[in-house]
Amino acid sequence: MKVLLVDGFPMVRAALTGLIEQHFAGAQVQGVDTVDAARQSLAQALPRLVLLDLRVPGGFELMEEIHQTHLLLPVVVISGSDDTDDALRALSSGAMGYVPERSDLDTLVQALHLVLAGGTYVPPLKPRVDETAAAAPASPTPDWGALPLTPRQKHVLHLLTQGLSNKLIARELGVSVDTVKDHVAAVLKALGVASRTQAVVVATQRVQRGA
C-alpha cells in the first residue's frame, strides 16, 4: 500500500511514516514537503491514501484538485487546528477524514483504518463560542430530532456518522444494499447536499445549532 504524506515538517513526516509502517503491513510511505512535489508524485502513480497538512502552502487547493480529479482517492487531513470551522471546511471540500494533531495515536490509526475501509472520520467538534452559553449537556448519540428525516433515515444518518459503508449499514438494518442506497439518497436530498461527507457535516452543524 502506497501512502503519500504531504507535510512541511521533517520530524512530523518521520513520525507519521514510522507509525504507518508499524500499523499497516506492507505500507510504503512517500513523504514530500511541497504541493509541487505532491503533484509530481500523483502524476507518476496514484497512492492508496493521501495524508495532508493544510498548512503546506497550497495544501487546500491540492486537496480540492485531488477531490475533483481523483474522486475515489481518499485524503485525510492531519491538522494542527481543532477549530470546528476548519474541520467542516476540509470535510465539505472533499477530505474523508480530519485528525487534529492533539489526537492520540490510537485515534489516528483507527481513523486511517476507517477511511481505508471506505468510511469518513469526523472528529469530536468543539461547539462554537457563541453557541456554548445555551448548549445543553452533550449526549453520546446525536439528537436528529430537528432534521427533516424519517426515523429510518435518521438511523441511516447516524450510521453514516460512524463511517459505515452501504454494505455494513445494510447488515446493521437487515435490508438490501439497494434499499440503503435509496435511504442515503433520500437523506442527501433532504439535507440539500451531494455527498455522504457533506451530509455528516451539515447534520452535525444543525445539531450544534439546535436547528
Side-chain angles (χ1 to χ4, degrees):
M1 178 181 78
K2 179 182 177 183
V3 177
L4 177 60
L5 170 59
V6 188
D7 193 293
F9 298 95
M11 291 182 63
V12 174
R13 292 200 305 274
L16 288 176
T17 296
L19 179 70
I20 293 170
E21 292 178 344
Q22 177 183 354
H23 289 275
F24 296 86
Q28 297 179 338
V29 181
Q30 179 184 8
V32 298
D33 60 357
T34 67
V35 165
D36 287 341
R39 290 192 179 106
Q40 292 175 8
S41 177
L42 292 170
Q44 294 172 0
L46 288 181
R48 177 67 180 83
L49 176 71
V50 176
L51 297 182
L52 173 62
D53 185 347
L54 293 179
R55 291 172 295 188
V56 174
F60 198 89
E61 290 73 15
L62 174 65
M63 183 180 67
E64 291 183 321
E65 288 175 17
I66 294 174
H67 182 60
Q68 294 171 4
T69 308
H70 308 292
L71 185 60
L72 298 181
L73 175 57
V75 177
V76 173
V77 171
I78 307 295
S79 176
S81 169
D82 59 0
D83 183 78
T84 297
D85 288 332
D86 290 341
L88 295 177
R89 183 187 179 204
L91 291 166
S92 63
S93 296
M96 295 302 293
Y98 187 95
V99 184
E101 289 179 353
R102 61 178 172 77
S103 304
D104 57 53
L105 296 182
D106 287 341
T107 297
L108 174 58
V109 172
Q110 292 172 9
L112 297 184
H113 276 296
L114 176 61
V115 170
L116 287 169
T120 301
Y121 178 74
V122 181
L125 299 177
K126 298 189 303 183
R128 293 178 175 82
V129 174
D130 59 353
E131 294 170 351
T132 54
S139 61
T141 302
D143 179 11
W144 307 121
L147 300 179
L149 303 173
T150 67
R152 177 49 64 92
Q153 290 167 357
K154 291 174 184 176
H155 194 177
V156 170
L157 175 60
H158 178 61
L159 296 176
L160 288 178
T161 65
Q162 297 178 349
L164 271 63
S165 65
N166 286 348
K167 184 177 180 180
L168 291 178
I169 292 176
R171 184 181 305 170
E172 175 75 17
L173 299 180
V175 299
S176 70
V177 174
D178 286 339
T179 298
V180 172
K181 290 180 179 178
D182 290 339
H183 285 314
V184 172
V187 169
L188 299 187
K189 182 177 180 181
L191 296 179
V193 297
S195 73
R196 297 157 63 100
T197 302
Q198 290 175 345
V200 172
V201 171
V202 169
T204 302
Q205 286 179 313
R206 292 189 183 183
V207 168
Q208 288 183 341
R209 293 170 180 168

